[in-house]
Amino acid sequence: MKIAGMGCRGSATRASLRAALSMAEAAGGRVDALATSPHKTADLAAFAREQGLFLHSVDVCDVVTPTQSPRIVQHYGTGSLAEAAALAAAGPGARILVPRVTSPDGLATAAIAVSADEITKGAAE
C-alpha cells in the first residue's frame, strides 16, 4: 500500500494541497490513502474526500524521518509531518518512497511511504 503523508499550514488552499500531492505522485505513483497528524485532520478531511481517498489520522511524535525541519520538530516531535504520517500509516517496516516535497507556495507538504507488504511484493515481481 502506498500512503501519502501530508502536512499544511492553516492558510493552505485546496490548490496548495493538490500541488503537493501531485508532485509526490509524479515521483512515486498514485497513492491508496492519505495520512496526517490528528492536529491536521480537520484541515485535510474535505481534501481527502474530494480525492476519493481515506484519511488516516496517526501519531507522528518520535517517528524518525529522512528530512528534518526544526519548526516541525518543535511542534510535532518529528522531523517531517508528511514523512512521519506516511510511515506511521503504512505500518511496521514501511519505507519512504518519495521524501517530503513542498507545494510551490510553501503551504503544503507531501511524502509517500510504501508498506512492508508492498516492498515484498515489488521484490518478488
Side-chain angles (χ1 to χ4, degrees):
M1 176 172 265
K2 287 184 194 175
I3 306 286
M6 297 199 68
C8 63
R9 294 191 183 252
S11 59
T13 63
R14 295 282 200 299
S16 304
L17 298 170
R18 184 69 209 141
L21 181 59
S22 293
M23 291 167 62
E25 287 184 324
R30 179 85 175 135
V31 298
D32 302 301
L34 302 179
T36 196
S37 157
H39 299 97
K40 295 294 180 180
T41 301
D43 294 335
L44 291 164
F47 175 73
R49 280 191 302 275
E50 288 172 5
Q51 300 304 307
L53 296 169
F54 182 80
L55 178 62
H56 297 271
S57 181
V58 294
D59 180 20
V60 297
C61 188
D62 297 326
V63 175
V64 178
T65 60
T67 68
Q68 300 288 307
S69 164
R71 184 179 67 80
I72 297 301
V73 170
Q74 182 180 11
H75 291 307
Y76 298 101
T78 188
S80 164
L81 176 58
E83 291 171 353
L87 287 167
R95 294 194 184 138
I96 290 292
L97 178 64
V98 179
R100 172 185 57 174
V101 295
T102 304
S103 62
D105 62 8
L107 298 177
T109 60
I112 298 176
V114 61
S115 63
D117 63 329
E118 188 78 15
I119 295 167
T120 304
K121 183 175 97 176
E125 292 177 350

